[in-house]
Amino acid sequence: MEIAEHLHVLDAEGQLLARAAETAGTDAKVATCPDWTVRDLLRHTGAVHRWAAAHVAEARTSPHPIGDPPDLDGTALIGWYRQMHGDLVSTLRAAAPDLRCWTFLPATSPLAFWARRQANETTIHRVDAESAREGAPSPIGTEFAADGIDELLRGFHARSRSRVRTQEPRVLRVRATDANADADANGDVQAGAVWTVRLSQEPPVTVRGDEGPADCELSGPAEHLYLALWNRAPFPHVTGDTALSTFWSETSGV
């Protein structure tokens, strides 16, 4: 996905998050994160937005602490969240394409990293906010969901802090049944809808494609897989060793 597409998602998802919080109220429990209320969710996500915007706006080349959110509640807290979200969107839209600043996942550029990361951060927490109020959750686009799966598997869980490790080598396959293959920068077709995750005592190693046998396969629409891999929903379909899907859910928290 292009930076502009991620920014469009970020803008829309943040507005949905704020509206869901307004409907639910800040005292409401977040069903997808049982230890949180909407108040906790707004404070966390707003602080992350502020933190991300500062790295971009100030071209910070090293990580800075996120910092504490203000001691607000109710409509004041929702208003603060809207401001932090709006500031982030404006900052990213105004940033130069050749921006240089700190990042923590692979990306084609720092601006591409922050646009993608915050679009996914906001989408997942929008789902959390909507779980606190009545009604069905808003949909997630197939292309964006597949891109988000890629960020999670080949970005977050490639890091040394991933806890998804097994004593013996195992192979987990993730297949988004409604996502199309895509092409890389050289025009070569990649199996963007399928990922093979090799588990061991080291951080997981994920490649696109489905070469070789797998011990367990997680499959289904990209939107459902995306939410399941982020532990916001059950896996739509599991074949093979189902214990591996349970293991993922128990160890993959980011």
Side-chain angles (χ1 to χ4, degrees):
M1 291 180 66
E2 300 294 329
I3 292 172
E5 294 174 295
H6 280 128
L7 291 181
H8 176 75
V9 171
L10 169 60
D11 191 5
E13 292 289 337
Q15 293 183 48
L16 287 172
L17 192 160
R19 287 201 292 271
E22 209 164 38
T23 300
T26 55
D27 286 333
K29 294 289 187 180
V30 177
T32 50
C33 297
D35 293 336
W36 274 8
T37 63
V38 170
R39 180 184 305 107
D40 300 317
L41 176 66
L42 290 172
R43 288 175 174 172
H44 166 79
T45 314
V48 169
H49 287 342
R50 181 183 61 189
W51 172 77
H55 280 84
V56 173
E58 300 170 19
R60 294 176 173 178
T61 56
S62 61
H64 288 232
I66 289 180
D68 295 328
D71 187 17
L72 299 173
D73 201 356
T75 57
L77 178 59
I78 296 170
W80 174 78
Y81 171 76
R82 289 185 190 276
Q83 184 66 53
M84 294 303 98
H85 171 254
D87 289 349
L88 173 63
V89 173
S90 297
T91 297
L92 289 171
R93 284 180 171 160
D98 60 352
L99 166 75
R100 292 291 176 265
C101 69
W102 175 77
T103 62
F104 60 90
L105 296 179
T108 55
S109 71
L111 183 55
F113 161 78
W114 284 110
R116 186 193 205 195
R117 176 80 293 278
Q118 288 302 292
N120 281 287
E121 175 88 11
T122 310
T123 299
I124 289 298
H125 288 318
R126 181 270 295 171
V127 171
D128 293 335
E130 289 184 342
S131 79
R133 55 101 170 119
E134 295 181 359
S138 303
I140 299 171
T142 298
E143 182 183 6
F144 176 75
D147 183 73
I149 292 171
D150 193 75
E151 185 205 45
L152 179 64
L153 296 180
R154 300 204 301 146
F156 271 105
H157 286 291
R159 299 187 299 168
S160 61
R161 64 179 62 185
S162 176
R163 296 183 298 113
V164 186
R165 302 178 186 224
T166 55
Q167 290 298 312
E168 301 297 330
R170 306 300 301 278
V171 178
L172 181 67
R173 181 155 293 135
V174 178
R175 187 183 303 273
T177 54
D178 58 345
N180 297 320
D182 57 12
D184 65 16
N186 298 318
D188 297 323
V189 173
Q190 302 291 321
V194 187
W195 298 262
T196 297
V197 187
R198 301 192 180 279
L199 305 176
S200 69
Q201 296 182 39
E202 300 299 321
V205 175
T206 301
V207 297
R208 293 179 178 177
D210 58 358
E211 291 186 9
D215 297 296
C216 175
E217 180 168 307
L218 312 174
S219 61
E223 175 182 7
H224 296 170
L225 278 178
Y226 175 68
L227 293 176
L229 288 165
W230 276 106
N231 294 312
R232 263 58 180 195
F235 286 108
H237 190 61
V238 181
T239 55
D241 184 358
T242 58
L244 271 183
S245 66
T246 302
F247 179 75
W248 175 277
S249 300
E250 292 174 345
T251 62
S252 66
V254 174

